[in-house]
Amino acid sequence: MLTKIERRRGIALGLTSLVGIALFVGIAAFALLSWDAGQAQNRLLTAYNWRILQFTLWQATLSTLLSITFALPVALALGRRPAFPGRIWIVRLMALPMGLPVLIGALGLIGIWGRQGVVNSLLLNLGVEQPVSIYGLSGILIAHVFFNMPLAARLLLAALERLPAEYWLLSSSLGMKPFSVFRFVEWPAARRVIPGIAGLIFMLCATSFTLVLVLGGGPAATTLEVAIYQSLRFDFDPSRAIALSLLQIGITAVILAAISRFPAPDDTDSSLGRTNRRFDGRNWKAKLWDVAAILLATVFLILPLTSILLAGAKADLWKLLMSSAFHRAAWTSFAIALSAGLLAVATSLAIISARRALADIRHPGRPAKILSSALAATASLVLLVPPVVLGTGWFLALRPFGDVARFAPVLVAIINMLMALPFVIRILAPAIETHRRRTSRLSASLGLSGLPQLLRIDLPVLAKPLLTALSFAMALSLGDLGAVALFGSGELTTLPWLVYSQLSSYRTNDADGLALLLGAICLGLTMLGTAGQRRAGHG
Amino acid sequence: MRRLILSIVTAAAALSFSTTVQAREKTLTVYTYESFISDWGPGPKVKEAFEKTCACRLNFVGVADGVALLTRLKLEGEKTDADIALGLDTNLISEAKATGLFGPHGLDTSAVKVPGNYSDDTFIPYDYGHFAVVYDTQTVKNPPRSLKDLVEGDPSQKIVIEDPRTSTPGLGLLLWVRSVYDDKAPEAWAKLRKRVLTVTPGWSEAYGLFTKGEVPMVFSYTTSPAYHMVEEKTDRYQAAAFSEGHYIHIEVAGLLKGSHDKDMARQFLKFMVSPAFQDIIPTTNWMMPATKTSAPLPDAFGKLVQPKNTFLMGADEVAKNRQAWIDEWLNAMSLN
């Protein structure tokens, strides 16, 4: 129960964020649509746009299929081997790509899969003439699998480990063969979560920007997001950018609608704590298979990370750390990340409290219900309207007012904030919900409200999830290249932009060094985040 | 709490703004392409030499490549900070003039000698070179001997090219193919596409991939091997002579109308065609100088491919067709 004032305040805060976000997205959309929209309409389905659309969907389909196909044996093997040496580290390793800035991951992958990389020298020694290409479709697929296979494996593993221990006991006492265990126990569990996981991965791959920008290799391997960026930055052809943006929004809308029909995959309570005893897979064949699956996946993930580490260590890190270019970029990045992080947390709190206030109304009318779902939708608006589209809209909106680069830091911070919002809410909402359930009666009976309640009851408990959310949002913003790429210039340089632009000149040594530094910072922040989450989850 | 957060946010945003604002002393801002201002490029030496003569600060701003330079100027419009744009090529000058951003230089440019005796009241050439496919002799035993060879050759032998939407060499290749194949250019691109490992936004990325051994051929200049001969003492990298002839690249600089110190900008342009600047060009930008240098060029320049025939399209023709040809190129290159 909330007091009337509390309820009003909650709803007011929520409305403010709702209006703020709607305005930000709305102005961008308006600018897009009002800029010679007629011309854009004519150019909506040119042969080129059509091919870009096809490629976007084709690579996302392949990436999703490959990621899940490779993730399934890994998850099954890890599930069957609760006592595998170093298992917890392997599971943690699988969380790393999530926190690694995409650009840095791409660098590591080039180090391993490039023509001079380990894989191709090995293949060459084996007498294979045609090297694996890290550019074009094959490169994009390798990179997407690198980032999404571990995600899928973790989610699948979590689904397997949620199965009650009795299942395993029973299947062993029934003397079920490995195939039967798969067919009757493991597969049904996996099948329930696979559509959700596939939808998530498909969405991530269909909106992939940085990887395609770095590894794409020309017009034949370009996704919608990259094509939007190119038509603005390369040709300055707004009508093409608008046409492509409309296609992009159409696609994400369809995908989101499809995803919403599946149950959302969930890795809470995952693996890290609970492990079941397993009685199957004791013969050497099964053991060999599992060890092979786990080792291959581990090597696949660890090689690019090692490559980043080794290449980065070769650079003169100290000189880099002391260089003014690094200081400027780090300062800019940090300011943007902190702004984006704080904004994301504040907005999430507002949205959560408003939804709570609305849920608290005993007989909610239609407006209350609509407002509540509008708030929920707002948080995920950025999924529908991707950063590059938002950036394009604001770019066009601000152009009449002078050099767009001047507004860039604020825009990038807000876009980063929107990108972080869905994640931040996912971290904060359950924590706050639990906390309120535990303490609302206590606070009410103590007559605490407002600031005293905040300081004495809320902050001590909620500080941890708040920090978790903040560090997660900051890591996301620090590693982001998508929003800054549109505006990046001599005046606005963030760390990823610095890495990207040094990559494009001869200074690859410096780029490697910077990549190591940035990668370490982001991984550090995410680990800080997940560590907090785990404790909060159990505490 | 919320207000506190908001004020921190605004403070942080404001701080990130303030880093971009710098005190404006007597500064000349030159927009150019990335490789010009790299440590090994002409930029640092040019800066040092010019600053000795002008009691000012020469500030280079680099963008990916020559075409991107023009796009950037179009984007910034009259509010641009640039005093000089250095690094467009003759293909782009009609389009550059059409922006209305450039003003006449009003200088005597009779000392400038480039093939075709190019001269203009707005843009001044500072160097030139012929485009060429440069290859690694260790991996390419049978280099292409004509553009036709390149287009129809073994698709497993890869080349890296530049994007014509951002890069002057990329645009050069587009025009070269157009000059040779005319209306059949889209078909030629559809074939050549299979040999293209990747398309980079600028020349430096492409050449970086090439020297790192990621790809055995790169679209560059007949003069590029001179770099390897002089600096690395190796004949390993060679330019392929094409029987149809080579497209020429004449790099020019121009004065922005909105420049806040036109006298100093003119001083820079004068300096650009003087030996002090021209001496730096051959062995840093690895292009042919546009005026007399004070000493003869290194021997390596005598060993380079000398094109029998030179292609150069009129700037008006390029301006008229560039967008259509780029659309054709995008279409042909995005075929799967």
Side-chain angles (χ1 to χ4, degrees), chain A residues 155-469:
Chain A
L155 292 170
L156 283 169
L157 184 61
L160 288 175
E161 290 184 341
R162 271 197 296 269
L163 288 174
E166 290 76 14
Y167 280 36
W168 308 116
L169 211 57
L170 196 65
S171 59
S172 107
S173 57
L174 285 174
M176 278 160 97
K177 292 255 166 24
F179 182 72
S180 308
V181 174
F182 175 73
R183 189 171 156 205
F184 296 110
V185 185
E186 294 167 330
W187 177 243
R191 203 182 50 195
R192 266 196 300 278
V193 290
I194 280 179
I197 300 174
L200 180 66
I201 294 180
F202 189 86
M203 183 75 190
L204 290 173
C205 295
T207 55
S208 175
F209 175 78
T210 309
L211 283 175
V212 182
L213 186 68
V214 179
L215 303 175
T222 300
T223 54
L224 282 170
E225 294 237 354
V226 173
I228 295 170
Y229 162 80
Q230 287 176 338
S231 49
L232 264 199
R233 281 289 289 224
F234 285 19
D235 315 302
F236 189 57
D237 182 353
S239 67
R240 174 176 277 152
I242 295 163
L244 290 166
S245 299
L246 292 177
L247 282 180
Q248 172 84 55
I249 293 176
I251 297 229
T252 39
V254 171
I255 304 172
L256 282 176
I259 293 180
S260 66
R261 303 171 57 115
F262 306 131
D266 184 14
D267 70 340
T268 44
D269 270 5
S270 117
S271 53
L272 298 166
R274 206 170 95 208
T275 41
N276 290 319
R277 275 197 73 186
R278 292 280 294 255
F279 310 93
D280 53 335
R282 294 278 163 93
N283 62 357
W284 66 271
K285 252 199 232 156
K287 270 184 194 159
L288 199 66
W289 171 257
D290 287 354
V291 170
I294 296 173
L295 279 188
L296 267 179
T298 311
V299 169
F300 175 70
L301 291 180
I302 229 169
L303 276 182
L305 298 172
T306 321
S307 155
I308 299 167
L309 207 65
L310 292 181
K314 265 190 232 150
D316 192 343
L317 287 178
W318 183 249
K319 205 184 96 200
L320 273 181
L321 272 175
M322 289 295 123
S323 72
S324 64
F326 176 79
H327 287 172
R328 243 192 8 217
W331 172 235
T332 312
S333 268
F334 183 74
I336 290 179
L338 188 67
S339 318
L342 289 174
L343 259 177
V345 170
T347 314
S348 304
L349 286 178
I351 290 179
I352 293 169
S353 69
R355 294 201 70 197
R356 225 180 110 249
L358 287 167
D360 198 61
I361 301 175
R362 203 159 296 161
H363 300 292
R366 251 182 97 76
K369 276 184 190 157
I370 292 175
L371 182 59
S372 177
S373 33
L375 282 167
T378 312
S380 321
L381 205 54
V382 72
L383 296 177
L384 179 67
V385 190
V388 173
V389 177
L390 280 177
T392 308
W394 274 96
F395 194 101
L396 297 176
L398 290 177
R399 225 174 84 81
F401 302 102
D403 186 8
V404 180
R406 270 191 312 157
F407 307 100
V410 178
L411 287 180
V412 173
I414 298 180
I415 293 176
N416 283 169
M417 178 278 264
L418 288 177
M419 287 162 64
L421 211 52
F423 300 97
V424 170
I425 289 194
R426 231 187 100 182
I427 295 170
L428 286 183
I432 292 179
E433 185 52 38
T434 323
H435 173 69
R436 290 281 176 239
R437 222 183 298 132
R438 281 187 197 147
T439 61
S440 60
R441 281 157 204 272
L442 177 72
S443 306
S445 69
L446 290 174
L448 279 176
S449 69
L451 198 62
Q453 183 195 357
L454 188 78
L455 286 181
R456 292 184 188 193
I457 312 265
D458 297 345
L459 261 189
V461 178
L462 290 179
K464 224 164 234 166
L466 282 174
L467 272 181
T468 301

Side-chain angles (χ1 to χ4, degrees), chain A residues 48 209 213 222 224-242 244-245 387-389 391-393 395-396 399 403-406 408-409 411-412 481-494 496-498 500-502 504, chain B residues 31-32 34 61-76 95 163-167 200-202 205 322-323 326 330:
Chain A
Y48 172 68
F209 175 78
L213 186 68
T222 300
L224 282 170
E225 294 237 354
V226 173
I228 295 170
Y229 162 80
Q230 287 176 338
S231 49
L232 264 199
R233 281 289 289 224
F234 285 19
D235 315 302
F236 189 57
D237 182 353
S239 67
R240 174 176 277 152
I242 295 163
L244 290 166
S245 299
V388 173
V389 177
T392 308
F395 194 101
L396 297 176
R399 225 174 84 81
D403 186 8
V404 180
R406 270 191 312 157
L411 287 180
V412 173
L481 183 67
V484 85
L486 267 185
F487 306 106
S489 65
E491 294 90 63
L492 179 75
T493 311
T494 62
W497 183 252
L498 192 64
Y500 181 64
S501 48
Q502 301 218 326
S504 57
Chain B
Y31 281 16
T32 184
E34 192 75 47
V61 175
V63 296
D65 212 329
V67 188
L69 181 58
L70 182 58
T71 312
R72 167 103 183 239
L73 287 172
K74 280 187 195 165
L75 269 180
E76 293 181 352
E95 232 177 298
D163 196 316
R165 291 173 293 174
T166 41
S167 153
T200 61
E205 286 120 311
R322 189 168 77 103
Q323 194 55 51
I326 280 180
L330 280 176

Side-chain angles (χ1 to χ4, degrees), chain A residues 13 47 51 115-116 130 135 217 219-220 230 234-236 240 331 339 395 399 406 409 504 506-508, chain B residues 2 12 16-17 19 34 40 71 75 156 163 165-166 198 205 207 209 212-214 327 329-331 333-334:
Chain A
L13 282 177
R51 260 181 237 130
R115 194 170 273 219
Q116 302 296 310
Q130 276 289 350
Y135 301 98
Q230 287 176 338
F234 285 19
D235 315 302
F236 189 57
R240 174 176 277 152
W331 172 235
S339 318
F395 194 101
R399 225 174 84 81
R406 270 191 312 157
S504 57
Y506 267 128
R507 289 161 286 180
T508 38
Chain B
R2 215 174 129 74
S16 63
F17 262 130
T19 54
E34 192 75 47
W40 43 268
T71 312
L75 269 180
S156 71
D163 196 316
R165 291 173 293 174
T166 41
T198 186
E205 286 120 311
Y207 214 74
L209 284 174
K212 267 187 277 170
E214 289 285 319
D327 281 350
W329 178 84
L330 280 176
N331 251 326
M333 290 295 286
S334 62

Side-chain angles (χ1 to χ4, degrees), chain B residues 11 79 81 97 111 114 129 134 166 177 194 203 206 248 266 279 282 299 308 312 321 329:
Chain B
K79 298 199 176 72
D81 288 335
K97 280 183 190 167
V114 293
V134 174
T166 41
V177 171
K194 302 199 181 78
W203 173 87
I248 195 170
R266 286 209 177 87
D279 285 352
D299 291 342
K308 289 190 201 83
L312 181 63
N321 294 307
W329 178 84

